[in-house]
Amino acid sequence: MAVSQALVVRKRLVEVDEPWKLDIYENTGGYAAAREVVTTSSPEDTLEEVKASGLRGRGGAGFPTGMKWSFVPKDIFPKYLVINHDEGEPGTFKDREMFELDPHQLLEGMIIAAFAVGASKAFIYCRGEFALGSRRMDQAIRSAYEKGYLGSGIFGSSFDFDVVLHRGAGAYICGEESALLDSLEGHRGQPRLKPPFPAVKGLYGQPTVVNNTETLSTLPHIFNHGIDWFRKWGSEKSPGVKVFSVSGHVNNPGNYEVPLGTKLSDVLELAGGMLDGNAPKAVIPGGISAPLLTITDIAMDFETLQAAGTMLGSGGIVFMDHTTCMVRNALIAAEFYEHESCGKCTPCREGTWWQVKVLERIEHGEGRQEDLDLLLDMCERMDGRCFCPLGDTAAWAVRSNLQLFREDFQAHIDEGRCTYETDHRTLVGARAIGPGDAGVTPQPSEGIGSDSEASS
Amino acid sequence: MADISSNGTTKVLVGGHYQVAKSIVSKYPNSRSAVLPLLFLVQGIEGHVTDQGMRDVAGILGLTPAEVLASGSFYTMLKKKPTGEYLISVCRNVSCAHRGAHKVINALSERLDIDPGAVTADGRFELETAECLATCDGAPSMQINYEDFYNLTPESAVDLVDRIERGETVAGERGETVRTQREVSYETAVAGARLPGTAGDIEARTVGGESPPEDMKAGDRPKLRDDEGTHGG
């Protein structure tokens, strides 16, 4: 049976031309849910409906959205809503797509969320590199103001709601919600000690709800169609649909929206299968922070992946075939975390630096046998001891590569070189470039999957 | 980092630029939130974040230059030294790396005769490696001044450089024309701001113009030093 998508959040942007325009959005049912909620419902009922829907955050942590909102104290004003559109988890490109193509969908979800928690002002923290998305959202906000969907007394009600677009400036850590708030306040983007959680003491010290783009883009559909409709997909604990970003060695990389609990193998089929019909060697199931999988017969939902020792995370799925050097894969991850570590805590700042040093040594054929256990020991000393999840996940990423593919690491040490066809001059960035160790540059091909296998 | 103490250089955020800065500040309940956009504004005017620009931002926001530097130096898009007119950012992360990003970086490095992180002698191009740009569906991918280019080969990447060098207009994956680094920085600075005299002027909106909630601390309101615009320009 052919696998098909369950289009909800992506429906408009797949089926409609220029879906970012307000008239198109309205002609396809847009702003009906927000209007209904704001003019006929109460904040309490709205919150209860979101709780009952079982919607869980789509940014990475999977925290129940309604519960997050319920932590906001009722009697402290002002409260703020902040949108985390700082998508930067390697392998993830879903928020970017829906924000660029369907900005009003997010604005509508924001109205519902703000009404429920009593926030009259929202900030959209848009990743600095997303130039087109920012342009589209800026225009969408203007048109929504002109129509009275934003501003004072929206939809003729007594509810005032303002939205401010804010751009980041290039820092992965700002996707962590408390670092995002520090950045939005004009500081270095470093995470805050919790508690207090943002719901109690967030932006400018006020109660603040921070939600992901996909999470709030889902809201209008829940209110248009009802909780039963939403819960017909997924499981009791992971209801609804989810957008997965699929990339790597697949034929049709892209975003695919499917019910939570869909088999990973079905998601792969949607993406056209592996390049050249190869078998997957390793899969990143939820952004580079999620430990690797070596199977595809697994349900893609929060609890199943957690039980398998990994996580659904951001929904960024990267398939890798047999041409992939897992030492290199670990090094790419380690260099990423080293670059993005904010420097606040020692285990992360120093640990990521040492991970890179040792992995570089192995990849360049200078690894020592004891380096393998040294790496595992470093991961052990980082995991659970870092100030925020960035350092913990740096440990997970490196450890899962080493534990699952120890033979790749061992071969590098035994043979004193990378056993894969890799151009070492530009392994992963400027710093790796040095004279003297240039490998053979493979000829361009249809894709790396069609490059020859391990070099002899 | 260079000395950023007062040295009598001409101010950057004066006149019309000061008015734009004020519009940006007015987006926020607390003026300090405007640090990053104001630094983008400086970059849009000067080509990079200059010491004088940081002093101006500090003056407008009531911060010390050191506080402005402390914030600004954290972020990769804010460039503290002169940049190329066209910044080429090639993704080096997992999806792109496994589909040949290193070949693209190599080819561009040879074509431009610079290592990643450097600017060409004529100041036209800067090459850098970037972390995941959320364009994995087009791996290997890159941005030129934050417009996306998908499914690159070493040849197609070099061809883009050739075309820009010939003065051709180049558009990215989503049809958007590549702008200059200064234009893009300026645009980033004013995103969401309602500039004076344009449709959506802040006076016509409630954003930034609303009355402070009664229980909001006085320090939470924008602290604008109105005299800043009159000095030195």
Side-chain angles (χ1 to χ4, degrees):
Chain A
M1 192 179 77
V3 185
S4 60
Q5 295 193 66
L7 290 175
V8 175
V9 172
R10 294 188 71 247
K11 184 178 173 65
R12 192 178 281 104
L13 56 95
V14 167
E15 296 178 352
V16 180
D17 286 338
E18 303 190 315
W20 56 87
K21 294 186 170 170
L22 178 56
D23 55 334
I24 306 279
Y25 186 71
E26 288 183 291
N27 291 340
T28 49
Y31 285 112
R35 183 192 303 273
E36 172 91 7
V37 165
V38 169
T39 56
T40 67
S41 185
S42 68
E44 294 76 18
D45 290 348
T46 308
L47 172 58
E48 284 309 313
E49 181 132 352
V50 173
K51 267 189 181 171
S53 76
L55 175 66
R56 296 175 64 165
R58 273 28 175 170
F63 197 82
T65 305
M67 192 185 295
K68 194 176 203 179
W69 295 0
S70 69
F71 296 151
V72 175
K74 289 199 167 22
D75 50 350
I76 302 177
F77 294 94
K79 309 180 213 290
Y80 296 108
L81 172 68
V82 174
I83 304 311
N84 185 344
H85 187 63
D86 197 41
E87 183 172 57
E89 178 66 30
T92 318
F93 46 92
K94 64 184 177 69
D95 292 339
R96 171 190 186 118
E97 181 193 52
M98 67 183 75
F99 191 96
E100 275 175 4
L101 292 174
D102 205 347
H104 285 288
Q105 177 175 249
L106 173 60
L107 287 175
E108 183 171 10
M110 287 170 62
I111 293 169
I112 297 169
F115 180 74
V117 300
S120 58
K121 190 161 199 147
F123 294 86
I124 298 174
Y125 191 100
C126 172
R127 183 172 168 183
E129 290 88 344
F130 291 171
L132 175 59
S134 174
R135 253 167 241 155
R136 291 256 170 84
M137 182 54 80
D138 205 352
Q139 184 53 49
I141 292 171
R142 281 170 202 260
S143 4
Y145 267 101
E146 281 162 17
K147 279 274 193 150
Y149 299 164
L150 296 175
S152 41
I154 65 172
F155 302 114
S157 73
S158 60
F159 180 56
D160 302 337
F161 185 48
D162 283 315
V163 174
V164 176
L165 178 61
H166 178 88
R167 295 284 293 276
Y172 166 74
I173 186 60
C174 294
E176 194 280 334
E177 63 178 12
S178 68
L180 183 153
L181 294 176
D182 257 29
S183 177
L184 181 49
E185 289 184 12
H187 298 273
R188 298 168 78 81
Q190 295 188 317
R192 299 173 177 177
L193 191 63
K194 301 178 200 176
F197 288 92
V200 177
K201 205 169 189 305
L203 186 64
Y204 311 128
Q206 297 299 120
T208 303
V209 165
V210 185
N211 281 144
N212 160 266
T213 295
E214 183 186 359
T215 310
L216 293 197
S217 295
T218 309
L219 281 183
H221 305 283
I222 295 176
F223 281 84
N224 274 329
H225 301 286
I227 293 165
D228 293 340
W229 168 87
F230 186 68
R231 280 190 168 278
K232 78 183 180 193
W233 294 293
S235 63
E236 174 66 25
K237 287 183 177 168
S238 296
V241 290
K242 171 86 184 81
V243 181
F244 290 102
S245 302
V246 186
S247 67
H249 296 144
V250 297
N251 284 307
N252 302 317
N255 285 313
Y256 298 92
E257 186 170 29
V258 293
L260 278 165
T262 298
K263 283 276 168 60
L264 180 56
S265 51
D266 289 342
V267 178
L268 175 58
E269 190 182 328
L270 280 172
M274 298 289 290
L275 283 174
D276 299 328
N278 288 330
K281 174 179 182 176
V283 189
I284 295 171
I288 205 170
S289 300
L292 299 169
L293 288 173
T294 52
I295 52 166
T296 57
D297 183 23
I298 188 167
M300 296 297 286
D301 60 43
F302 292 103
E303 59 269 26
T304 306
L305 288 174
Q306 194 178 358
T310 182
M311 59 182 180
L312 187 78
S314 61
I317 304 175
V318 184
F319 287 95
M320 290 167 269
D321 66 20
H322 64 282
T323 61
T324 312
C325 169
M326 301 312 285
V327 177
R328 183 176 189 229
N329 191 57
L331 180 52
I332 291 166
E335 287 220 335
F336 165 69
Y337 290 111
E338 185 212 20
H339 181 251
E340 300 295 347
S341 174
C342 78
K344 181 165 184 159
C345 78
T346 311
C348 176
R349 184 186 61 241
E350 303 299 318
T352 53
W353 191 86
W354 279 108
Q355 282 183 327
V356 170
K357 287 289 151 206
V358 176
L359 285 165
E360 270 183 346
R361 191 156 73 202
I362 298 172
E363 177 65 0
H364 287 276
E366 295 150 10
R368 309 168 305 180
Q369 185 59 44
E370 58 266 35
D371 283 344
L372 302 188
D373 287 337
L374 178 63
L375 268 179
L376 289 175
D377 186 55
M378 283 194 283
C379 293
E380 187 62 30
R381 284 161 198 269
M382 292 165 69
D383 189 6
R385 291 171 174 80
C386 295
F387 194 87
C388 85
L390 190 147
D392 296 338
T393 52
W396 300 353
V398 170
R399 183 164 55 199
S400 87
N401 276 279
L402 176 50
Q403 285 179 336
L404 292 170
F405 298 97
R406 194 169 174 118
E407 67 278 10
D408 269 18
F409 289 71
Q410 190 63 52
H412 280 66
I413 290 170
D414 291 346
E415 299 197 23
R417 64 188 181 92
C418 177
T419 49
Y420 291 81
E421 190 172 324
T422 303
D423 183 349
H424 288 93
R425 281 184 306 160
T426 54
L427 186 60
V428 269
R431 191 189 27 194
I433 294 183
D437 65 343
V440 177
T441 307
Q443 289 306 304
S445 61
E446 294 302 308
I448 199 170
S450 57
D451 286 357
S452 65
E453 204 183 332
S455 57
S456 58
Chain B
M1 194 62 218
D3 167 36
I4 61 166
S5 64
S6 179
N7 63 3
T9 348
T10 312
K11 288 197 168 208
V12 179
L13 298 181
V14 288
H17 296 317
Y18 178 72
Q19 296 306 317
V20 171
K22 269 176 67 169
S23 299
I24 293 169
V25 174
S26 69
K27 285 165 65 181
Y28 303 100
N30 186 314
S31 60
R32 179 159 184 155
S33 288
V35 168
L36 299 186
L38 291 189
L39 290 175
F40 274 117
L41 184 62
V42 170
Q43 187 162 293
I45 298 162
E46 298 284 277
H48 68 286
V49 177
T50 56
D51 291 350
Q52 183 58 48
M54 283 191 277
R55 276 193 289 272
D56 292 359
V57 171
I60 288 171
L61 300 179
L63 301 170
T64 65
E67 287 173 308
V68 173
L69 172 61
S71 293
S73 61
F74 188 79
Y75 300 91
T76 51
M77 289 175 70
L78 293 167
K79 308 294 183 186
K80 263 64 73 183
K81 53 182 194 205
T83 59
E85 197 178 344
Y86 294 93
L87 172 64
I88 304 177
S89 316
V90 188
C91 176
R92 56 152 294 269
N93 215 297
V94 54
S95 301
C96 290
H98 291 323
R99 296 196 68 152
H102 58 285
K103 299 175 199 169
V104 174
I105 298 167
N106 270 353
L108 287 170
S109 186
E110 278 169 28
R111 165 65 180 80
L112 296 168
D113 196 23
I114 51 172
D115 283 345
V119 183
T120 53
D122 62 3
R124 288 214 80 190
F125 294 97
E126 177 171 358
L127 179 63
E128 68 175 13
T129 57
E131 296 302 347
C132 186
L133 295 164
T135 48
C136 324
D137 47 342
S141 62
M142 69 182 188
Q143 292 187 326
I144 303 178
N145 288 348
Y146 305 106
E147 300 301 342
D148 308 311
F149 292 86
Y150 271 27
N151 302 318
L152 296 165
T153 62
E155 294 75 20
S156 67
V158 165
D159 182 56
L160 285 165
V161 172
D162 292 341
R163 287 170 57 197
I164 291 173
E165 197 140 72
R166 288 197 299 265
E168 290 179 27
T169 301
V170 171
E173 171 72 15
R174 295 164 229 281
E176 300 284 294
T177 304
V178 171
R179 308 168 190 207
T180 67
Q181 171 76 336
R182 286 183 197 225
E183 288 169 338
V184 172
S185 294
Y186 191 91
E187 182 192 39
T188 308
V190 300
R194 300 299 172 242
L195 304 182
T198 65
D201 186 331
I202 52 163
E203 299 304 322
R205 289 176 36 139
T206 54
V207 168
E210 82 271 48
S211 303
E214 283 176 13
D215 55 354
M216 192 179 227
K217 295 186 292 292
D220 288 346
R221 297 302 301 160
K223 287 177 288 189
L224 265 184
R225 291 185 183 177
D226 273 324
D227 60 339
E228 284 300 323
T230 59
H231 295 312

